[in-house]
Amino acid sequence: MPVAWITHPDCLLHQMEEGHPESPLRLHAIQDRLMACGIDGFLLHAEAPEATPEQLQRVHTAEHVRFILNAPADPPQHLDPDTLFMRHTRRAALRAAGSGVQAVDMVLGGKASLAFCAVRPPGHHAERARAMGFCFFNNVAVAAAHALSRGLERVAILDFDVHYGNGTADIFQDDPRVLLCSTYGHPLYPYWAGSGDSASLIDVPLSPYSAGTAFRAAVTEHWLPALERFQPQMLLVSAGFDAHGADPLGNLRLGLDDYRWLGRLVQQLAEQCCEDRVVAMLEGGYDLTALARSVEAFLEPFMGGAL
Ligand SMILES: [Zn+2]
């Protein structure tokens, strides 16, 4: 089955302040790299639809959805010190959230094994009732809720962004149908203090400058037993690549081999437990070269013999 690649030109329109790291250049860098290395020619390209209010309200409050749908962008609004609502933010955010719906439908419909959503703004910091940390709607949560609405009973979200996905935790921490497995740099934004006893949240903080050995041990020792117990029917991935050693916003030292290892692990897990169903959603990653090469490394194991 092919790998689907879901994006939309509207995701390039959202641009915050000059020099803001979460910029349209990120998607351009990924696209250029996939064309240069030949992967692009093997992808099944699809366009992201806009998410509907009903799909958004599965994970966000009606007030938050109304706010983003109606917020004035002139002048731009600071929703937090780093998160600006600009003229085209609404369009990009609706496409980013809609991409996950499309991805779930393609994977459940047997059209793709992995559906990768190359979209922005990212989503995993957006809480049920609040935009923050460059995020407006929680894209991976919208996708997970859509999968549940399509009849799945258990889905797992794997989040390896260097920043903890506080929004995804806020939305699903009391939902036994969703298992959220995370690794993250600590201490680092959003200064998550650990999830205590929640059975739905498996999170492993990593000390500053931790490299691949610590990351792989965290995944192997903490994620895998939880996934084995949970038996998810679909894997959703909050694919942030800012744990790469070159990232200007991260504090970890992952390398391309680690992202390739993780891609292979996710691919094998999906094959064993959930009929090859994987939906990946781009989150962070702010060094353009490292981001593009990390996405390539993550995708390689899914390309089978195509390359
Ligand atoms: Zn991040």
Side-chain angles (χ1 to χ4, degrees), residues 5-22:
W5 188 256
I6 305 174
T7 188
H8 193 280
D10 282 359
C11 293
L12 299 168
L13 297 178
H14 165 63
Q15 169 120 45
M16 296 188 278
E17 290 162 316
E18 190 67 33
H20 195 295
E22 205 295 276

Side-chain angles (χ1 to χ4, degrees), residues 124-125 161-163 242 284 286:
H124 74 154
H125 294 305
D161 191 280
V162 77
H163 305 99
D242 42 11
Y286 303 100

Side-chain angles (χ1 to χ4, degrees), residues 148-181:
L148 295 170
S149 83
R150 292 271 322 251
L152 296 193
E153 293 169 344
R154 293 176 313 284
V155 299
I157 300 173
L158 313 177
D159 188 334
F160 54 87
D161 191 280
V162 77
H163 305 99
Y164 188 72
N166 60 291
T168 315
D170 174 61
I171 290 164
F172 291 125
Q173 62 190 342
D174 297 319
D175 190 334
R177 301 171 301 170
V178 180
L179 177 71
L180 172 59
C181 297

Side-chain angles (χ1 to χ4, degrees), residues 46 66 98 102 127 134 145 166 180 199 210 221 230 256 262 285 290 302:
R66 243 192 328 265
Q102 170 82 6
E127 297 182 343
F134 314 165
N166 60 291
L180 172 59
S210 293
E221 291 164 22
F230 187 69
L256 299 183
L262 189 66
F302 291 93

Side-chain angles (χ1 to χ4, degrees), residues 15-278:
Q15 169 120 45
M16 296 188 278
E17 290 162 316
E18 190 67 33
H20 195 295
E22 205 295 276
S23 87
L25 295 176
R26 301 174 61 233
L27 295 186
H28 286 303
I30 295 169
Q31 188 62 50
D32 288 352
R33 181 64 211 157
L34 294 187
M35 290 179 83
C37 72
I39 285 182
D40 185 73
F42 296 98
L43 299 173
L44 175 62
H45 289 264
E47 215 163 66
E50 291 190 343
T52 66
E54 183 203 355
Q55 290 159 354
L56 295 166
Q57 284 179 35
R58 290 171 182 153
V59 301
H60 291 293
T61 62
E63 290 74 15
H64 179 67
V65 173
R66 243 192 328 265
F67 172 73
I68 299 293
L69 291 181
N70 298 307
D74 188 20
Q77 287 194 57
H78 270 99
L79 304 187
D80 74 16
D82 304 312
T83 310
L84 279 98
F85 190 88
M86 313 291 291
R87 197 163 135 240
H88 298 299
T89 302
R90 178 170 23 251
R91 287 169 64 182
L94 286 170
R95 295 288 180 182
S99 71
V101 172
Q102 170 82 6
V104 166
D105 286 343
M106 289 184 83
V107 166
L108 285 181
K111 297 199 174 85
S113 47
L114 163 67
F116 192 104
C117 300
V119 292
R120 51 180 295 278
H124 74 154
H125 294 305
E127 297 182 343
R128 192 170 278 280
R130 175 161 76 136
M132 63 180 276
F134 314 165
C135 303
F136 299 85
F137 293 129
N138 194 312
N139 307 322
V140 79
V142 170
H146 186 64
L148 295 170
S149 83
R150 292 271 322 251
L152 296 193
E153 293 169 344
R154 293 176 313 284
V155 299
I157 300 173
L158 313 177
D159 188 334
F160 54 87
D161 191 280
V162 77
H163 305 99
Y164 188 72
N166 60 291
T168 315
D170 174 61
I171 290 164
F172 291 125
Q173 62 190 342
D174 297 319
D175 190 334
R177 301 171 301 170
V178 180
L179 177 71
L180 172 59
C181 297
S182 307
T183 53
Y184 58 103
H186 183 75
L188 198 66
Y189 182 90
Y191 305 104
W192 182 253
S195 42
D197 293 333
S198 172
S200 293
L201 308 182
I202 304 294
D203 59 54
V204 192
L206 298 171
S207 309
Y209 311 113
S210 293
T213 316
F215 169 73
R216 295 186 196 200
V219 168
T220 307
E221 291 164 22
H222 297 272
W223 289 14
L224 294 187
L227 289 162
E228 174 68 27
R229 284 193 300 273
F230 187 69
Q231 292 291 308
Q233 295 161 303
M234 178 183 281
L235 299 178
L236 298 108
V237 183
S238 261
F241 297 93
D242 42 11
H244 189 284
D247 197 276
L249 302 193
N251 66 354
L252 300 181
R253 294 288 176 264
L254 268 56
L256 299 183
D257 282 349
D258 298 309
Y259 291 119
R260 196 173 293 110
W261 174 82
L262 189 66
R264 190 173 303 115
L265 184 77
V266 171
Q267 191 261 331
Q268 286 170 352
L269 273 174
E271 192 177 278
Q272 287 159 15
C273 77
C274 47
E275 300 171 42
D276 290 319
R277 297 165 176 159
V278 184

